[in-house]
Amino acid sequence: MTRAAIYARYSSEHQREASIEDQAEVCRRYVERQGWTVAAQYQDAAISGANSRLRPGFQQLLRDAEARRFDVVVCEAIDRLGRKLADVADLYDRLSFAGVQIHTVSIGAVTQMHIGIMGTMAQMTLSDMRDKVRRGQLGRARAGRIPGGLGYGYEVVPPPPGAKESGERRIVPAEAAVVRRIFRDYAAGVSPRALASRLNQEGIPGPGGRPWIDTTIRGQADRGTGLLNNALYIGRLAWNRCSYVKDPRSGRRVARVNPRAQWEVTEVPALRIIDQELWEAVKARQAAARIEMGKDHGGNMLNRVRRRQFLLSGLLTCGCCGGAYTIVGEDRYGCATRRGKGTCDNRRTIVRQRIEARVLGALKARMLTPELVQTFITAYAAELATLQRESGLRRAQLEQQLAGVERRLQGVLRAIEDGAWNATLRARLTELETDKARLTAEIAQAAAPPPVRLHPNAAALYAAKVADLEGALNETEIRTEAAEILRSLIARVVLTPDAAAPDGLAAELHGDLAMILGLASAASSPVSERRRGSAGAKGEPPGTCVPGGLLSVVAGA
């Protein structure tokens, strides 16, 4: 029985959640008409089809297809799979290699011709929608109406009954008073961090009702973000200061400042909150601060400022407030919420090298036992054997299918030699030639891998690399790649003040690396080793304490 997987997606907030179920229903009816069974269903709700990497349902479908969990993928239309031709073509190639077909309710079996034509049309539609949105925003900006979101200090003017939101705004007096206070205090020398802390302590809600943070106030001057850079406060609407493009590698939007000649600037005096003198005073202090920040320790101007990426950057979390632990001084981590908002009581900081050593030390302590070294060698050899065996079976199946196609081709050629030539034979010959080319390509891709043998000193090499883990991670040739691999195994490291812990901070590791450490502990730790409950999320299993109290780990499911 053919196993079918259903995929459904909608991208716009203007569509409704029921769109997913509507798509799935028409796909189920198609599956029933074909006499297949539904093996799985995947969906991505309110996610754009412009990039496949950001769609978890789509990525799970790919993984399950490569695991041969179904035989055909059914969706409503090709543009549900993606709106970029490159993504759809890549999906088609990967599914074809896995022996999985694509069917849509509208056209049935999808071929390379459909991918080329329909994929191109979907990408053109995406580009056309983008152009229309920008055209509408341009019209609003030229008319003095706000083309985008709602800035702090303003509220939306309700449109007439039956009309759409027009982009008109009006001043909110209470919020405007806060804006004036921020500008006055900053011009008087108060830092954005101190301003955010004061406003939070006084219980004054920030934009969207959220707590204040220093970056909300400071922003980026060249992009016009942050309260101190919002030209609308002096009655000037500036649109198109930045362009947003998607990085094809990550799928994330990247802002690029446009040349000043491309800006659309419209005067809207009715929305002015700040007088010109105060605005200029703020700009003067920002310029002075920018010059000061651009100097090194010796007072020399820096040509370029780059943030260094460390092993645990973005992975450290405050156990008190849940905020991030970030660099707050030279090679020292601290709670960003306390630093930026002043709403967290966690004053503890930790030297970068110390927390990295604690994580790597825990890994070394667990991974150097003789039992685990032998387990690694045995499991690695078994996995190699399994991969070689599966590759051989797949190649044999493809060769058997190719032999059958060639036999049928010979039969068609004999019929042609005997004088039987018609439209049916022509179509059959084309179909068989296509199958032959596809199978030949798949056999070439599924070529049997050469025998891989473990080095006779693999156990010793493994132990040496683990013992010098810090040194291995800092080798110039592999430092970046090795750090990224290790970072991918860590979900987060939770740091909580604890006077009894090293550095005054208890560290708790979550993620795949925690699972590795937990399994290592179960396999090799002595009976007397201390164990304790986790301070992590409810329902997680107890953590394992590494000797010396350097780290506790939470392996999760």
Side-chain angles (χ1 to χ4, degrees), residues 393-403 439 442-443 446:
L393 289 173
R394 176 61 177 164
R395 182 181 175 87
Q397 292 173 351
L398 292 172
E399 289 175 343
Q400 184 178 6
Q401 294 176 23
L402 180 60
L439 289 169
E442 290 187 17
I443 289 173

Side-chain angles (χ1 to χ4, degrees), residues 233-245:
Y233 293 145
I234 56 170
R236 183 182 303 149
L237 171 60
W239 177 77
N240 201 37
R241 295 181 63 145
C242 293
S243 295
Y244 295 89
V245 295

Side-chain angles (χ1 to χ4, degrees), residues 312-377:
L312 300 178
S313 295
L315 299 176
L316 301 179
T317 303
C318 176
C320 296
C321 67
Y325 249 69
T326 59
I327 293 293
V328 296
E330 186 173 0
D331 279 346
R332 183 170 287 276
Y333 285 106
C335 176
T337 302
R338 174 175 179 78
R339 179 178 172 84
K341 301 179 182 179
T343 56
C344 180
D345 295 328
N346 185 1
R347 299 172 178 269
R348 290 286 186 176
T349 62
I350 187 169
V351 175
R352 174 180 65 83
Q353 290 84 351
R354 281 288 300 157
I355 185 60
E356 290 180 3
R358 287 169 66 174
V359 173
L360 297 179
L363 182 59
K364 289 193 298 183
R366 292 303 184 193
M367 301 306 289
L368 277 178
T369 61
E371 296 87 352
L372 287 175
V373 174
Q374 184 57 46
T375 298
F376 163 75
I377 300 299

Side-chain angles (χ1 to χ4, degrees), residues 436-455:
K436 180 179 178 179
R438 176 179 59 81
L439 289 169
T440 301
E442 290 187 17
I443 289 173
Q445 292 180 341
V452 178
R453 302 185 185 278
L454 286 174
H455 191 281

Side-chain angles (χ1 to χ4, degrees), residues 152-154 171-181 273-274:
Y152 184 81
Y154 304 97
I171 296 174
V172 179
E175 293 184 358
V178 175
V179 171
R180 295 188 189 98
R181 170 186 171 180
I273 293 176
I274 302 298

Side-chain angles (χ1 to χ4, degrees), residues 31-286:
V31 169
E32 290 176 1
R33 290 197 299 270
Q34 305 302 317
W36 303 335
T37 60
V38 176
Q41 180 173 326
Y42 307 86
Q43 64 184 48
D44 288 305
I47 300 179
S48 170
N51 193 288
S52 61
R53 296 184 186 90
L54 303 181
R55 289 185 272 150
F58 184 90
Q59 292 299 323
Q60 186 62 49
L61 180 144
L62 276 177
R63 289 191 290 270
D64 290 350
E66 292 169 352
R68 308 291 200 279
R69 293 179 180 171
F70 46 80
D71 309 300
V72 61
V73 173
V74 180
C75 57
E76 183 185 35
I78 287 180
D79 62 2
R80 297 300 91 195
L81 294 171
R83 289 192 177 274
K84 286 187 66 175
L85 176 59
D87 287 343
V88 179
D90 178 68
L91 171 67
Y92 181 82
D93 290 343
R94 293 177 66 174
L95 291 184
S96 296
F97 179 72
V100 177
Q101 293 183 322
I102 300 176
H103 280 244
T104 70
V105 175
S106 55
I107 62 177
V110 174
T111 66
Q112 284 184 325
M113 179 184 69
H114 294 116
I115 293 296
I117 296 175
M118 302 303 291
T120 301
M121 294 299 295
Q123 186 158 336
M124 290 176 63
T125 300
L126 182 65
S127 178
D128 183 57
M129 287 192 298
R130 187 184 302 116
D131 292 341
K132 287 180 178 178
V133 168
R134 284 188 58 80
R135 188 175 68 238
Q137 290 178 332
L138 173 61
R140 282 190 173 192
R142 289 176 62 86
R145 299 193 299 272
I146 312 300
L150 181 65
Y152 184 81
Y154 304 97
E155 64 181 1
V156 176
V157 176
K164 294 183 178 180
E165 200 272 309
S166 63
E168 294 186 8
R169 303 288 189 264
R170 63 189 177 197
I171 296 174
V172 179
E175 293 184 358
V178 175
V179 171
R180 295 188 189 98
R181 170 186 171 180
I182 290 173
F183 271 75
R184 285 194 303 268
D185 288 354
Y186 180 81
V190 182
S191 70
R193 189 173 302 138
L195 280 168
S197 180
R198 291 178 186 178
L199 293 170
N200 288 327
Q201 291 173 4
E202 295 173 21
I204 298 174
R210 299 181 297 272
W212 290 93
I213 189 169
D214 57 340
T215 53
T216 302
I217 297 172
R218 181 176 62 246
Q220 297 183 23
D222 58 342
R223 293 174 53 186
T225 60
L227 264 73
L228 296 176
N229 303 305
N230 189 351
L232 197 59
Y233 293 145
I234 56 170
R236 183 182 303 149
L237 171 60
W239 177 77
N240 201 37
R241 295 181 63 145
C242 293
S243 295
Y244 295 89
V245 295
K246 283 191 176 180
D247 185 336
R249 295 168 298 179
S250 65
R252 298 184 180 278
R253 292 205 318 163
V254 177
R256 294 177 179 171
V257 179
N258 292 329
R260 198 171 188 89
Q262 296 181 12
W263 296 7
E264 292 290 337
V265 180
T266 306
E267 298 296 330
V268 281
L271 297 182
R272 177 186 277 270
I273 293 176
I274 302 298
D275 62 65
Q276 195 65 29
E277 183 180 356
L278 181 55
W279 174 267
E280 297 298 339
V282 165
K283 295 295 112 179
R285 188 185 169 205
Q286 284 181 319

Side-chain angles (χ1 to χ4, degrees), residues 427-447:
R428 181 58 173 161
L429 181 62
T430 301
E431 179 184 351
L432 290 172
E433 289 287 357
T434 301
D435 289 344
K436 180 179 178 179
R438 176 179 59 81
L439 289 169
T440 301
E442 290 187 17
I443 289 173
Q445 292 180 341

